[in-house]
Amino acid sequence: MIKRTTKPFAFYSFLSFFLILISKNVFATDYKETNTSYYLSSSTVTIHQQINSDDKSFDDPFRRHEILTPASSFSTERHLLSSNITHCPDLSFEALKSIAVNNTILMTTCDKLIWEMFGPSWVHAVELANITYWIVIALDPETSIAAASLGKGHCFNVPLKRHQITPQTEKFRWGSDHWTRRTWDKVRVANAVYSYGFHVIHSDTDATWFRNPLPFFSQYLNFESDFLLSTDLTMTMNPKNITDVERATHEHMNLNTGIYFIRYSETGLDLMKKWISVYQKDPHVGHDQDGFNSLVRGAAFRGDAKYGAARKDSSIAPYFRAAFNHSVYISALPTSSFANTYTFCNARAYELFGHDLFVVHWVWGGSTTHSKIQNIRDLGLYIDPPEYYHPRRLLSFELDQLAMPSHYNSIPESQTEVMIQFHIKAANYQLQQFYAAAAIAMSLDRVLVLPTFLCYCSKNWYMTVACRIHEANNALFPFKCPLSQLMRVQRILAGVQVSGWSYDAPQFPDLGRSGSKAAAPDASTGPTTGGGPKIFNRTLEIRERSFLTNHRTPKSYMEDRVVVDVSDKVLKALREMKIIADEAAKGDISVVTQLSELSTSKVTENKEETKPLNTTVGNVHKLMRKMLNVVLGKEDSTGSTLFTSEAGHIIPVDPNRRRTFESEVEGDKGIKSSKKEASKETEKKGLEEKPIPAPNKLNSSLLNETSTLDSDKNTLTNEKPVLVTTEVYSVTNQSYITLTTAPLNDFQLFSAFQPLASKKIIHLKWPRAMFSGFQDETLEKGFDLGMRNVTSYWCCRSPESQKKDHLPSEALFTIVPPLMPPSSDSKTPRIKE
């Protein structure tokens, strides 16, 4: 153990007292303290600054002449000095001492944009982790008011001048001017807290804490290293079941300043001073992390030798000496315990190595803050506004998963492409189920609850190694996909808007669209066109996979839930057509990789041989007719026998709502003749198809007397209908029904589900087997476009693989199914263009 000398405590006491005097003069406020509501977002107030200073690079955000006005009423200005708005107090040594545990403070720094996105959720997670020594430093009045409204008493106003952010730069994204300036603000604020004489654990606000880190860091108060911080590594070299600093620490690691611990010492003070000076000397150095890496790693960071070279005393020492001062020791924190998105979600390193998990810093994930927020939501730890947890009616669904081959995790790096292909097939299989569920949700005008997607290959912005990042053995598959692995999170959270609906969905007096108890105006209603029928617009809204288990979501949702299944006959037929994976072949990678590739393979009776075929639409359509004959045990090679009620009821649609597709033009002569022959065959066998009642009759015929429907207002009362067996489904009990007639188009599903309309949750077991498409071709094209717009892609293949196999670096996902289940008028699977 290396012994260190420190300056006398009296020196730091004087320094602390001096800083207190400065902070009180710079940040003098005498606002009144009152209680406010628990949830107050920083956007509820707007700043009107009157800056008279000649210093254009900094501004004092708490000048006494600064005025705040409610965002909802800009005409009514309130001066803070005379208002009763609760705010954070000034930072002081006495206040920090009352909060600190073992002379240690856990801190984060926020301005209004950062607080709005992550602040309340950071506080919530910290408290769940039983951490009591935390503080929030507010960089502006809006954040001070919003943080104080939580009533926790752990927030303080910034003790220094912040960097001024002009309206043109108020966009918080990685690399933006706003983001860069704020990273340096947090260094200066951390130094102010540190200079009071406390050990500091710094945390970015886009992090989630799971465990109190104080016992861990307390072990290193007499350790060689002054500074312990997280890294951008995607694995740890530490042994299993031992939670320790990263034993493989060296100067070539990319250090991440999102999470760090700095113990109070003379060399620590020198480090913080030099770190701040990096930006003062060169404002173009980049963000705080680049400045820190340049300072301590020296030439090992991008060959930048202006601060010298870092030094490693021993290959086994878990630290290195900083480039700018060899008396300063730096150690890395293991990414298993101080995780990033990849090591937590994809690799699950803390489980793999048996290490304690303290925190996840949501980097190494999606490229937007929306991706980070969605990851925190998936854990049930994000704090949304109260109305978020009271949506209108919900629709949830189950995913049918492809079984991963038993040897998948041991596939060598040389066969990475095999893993990529399996992942793409598995992702497409899940996304196409999402497509069907989303279509049904929009048809019923319900909010869609996402399922748990599984991933079999990590997405990254550069090459993967055996579907992992950097190392071929740092993760096991499958893992629960962060949404950004499959979808463009920002787009889908904004909502998928589709216009052209010819029918409206029921509304309810007990739960309006806004979540309030009074029904809100119909948000889906659009303008009429040319005096014709009214056209409706819909927006697909989603909720995260953990929404129904979140303690903020009312239990009444799960208590008013109906499960909708599909008959075994329908499932069997769709499995034979490979629209749904065959249970017997799920784990066979050679079979699974051909799932839904019906345009390039032929199904035979023994289902073992596959042969390449002509892939034109006409030939594929003919192939599907022949395949259906095989499924139904018919040997007629002309494909004249069609999918009938032997495999479940297939119902005709209203002739006035029939639709045609350009993709059915080729080979349609065979289809038309087949329909005639099928009709004659049906008459001979005495089989009768069970038609759905006309739409205007269906609503009333399927609704029980205990429920009423106002046909003019299309509004259901609070009375719950008693579900009874119909031509469309059989009722097991009031919470479980089975579709015996499927698949259906959007309007048929809307009509058939009318008796379920008052249920708060409709849960679908097989959405892909229920949905055959839209009755209106224009509507379907608009929906398909919306689905493609929110779908992401996989990346990236290695340069060697691209060159060898002539493949692109990226692989696109296919969310729109190329093969739809048999539509009820043609009884033949439909190939989408």
Side-chain angles (χ1 to χ4, degrees), residues 10 149 181 186 191 235 245 262 352 372 429 548 551 633 711 725:
S149 72
R181 288 172 182 265
K186 69 184 184 184
N191 183 54
M235 65 178 300
V245 295
I262 179 168
L352 192 64
K372 297 180 180 182
Y429 186 60
L548 294 176
H551 70 90
S711 59
T725 296

Side-chain angles (χ1 to χ4, degrees), residues 685-760:
K685 293 185 177 181
L687 296 174
E688 294 184 8
E689 293 179 338
K690 299 182 178 181
I692 266 191
N696 61 336
K697 295 181 180 179
L698 179 67
N699 295 340
S700 58
S701 65
L702 295 186
L703 286 173
N704 190 273
E705 293 179 357
T706 56
S707 175
T708 60
L709 176 68
D710 187 324
S711 59
D712 294 327
K713 297 181 179 179
N714 202 24
T715 302
L716 285 173
T717 68
N718 281 326
E719 299 177 72
K720 306 294 183 182
V722 176
L723 301 178
V724 295
T725 296
T726 69
E727 301 98 327
V728 182
Y729 55 76
S730 63
V731 177
T732 302
N733 55 54
Q734 295 302 298
S735 299
Y736 199 104
I737 68 172
T738 301
L739 286 179
T740 54
T741 300
L744 306 172
N745 66 32
D746 63 307
F747 184 76
Q748 292 168 337
L749 283 167
F750 167 75
S751 300
F753 282 7
Q754 281 287 6
L756 315 180
S758 63
K759 290 286 187 180
K760 289 186 177 179

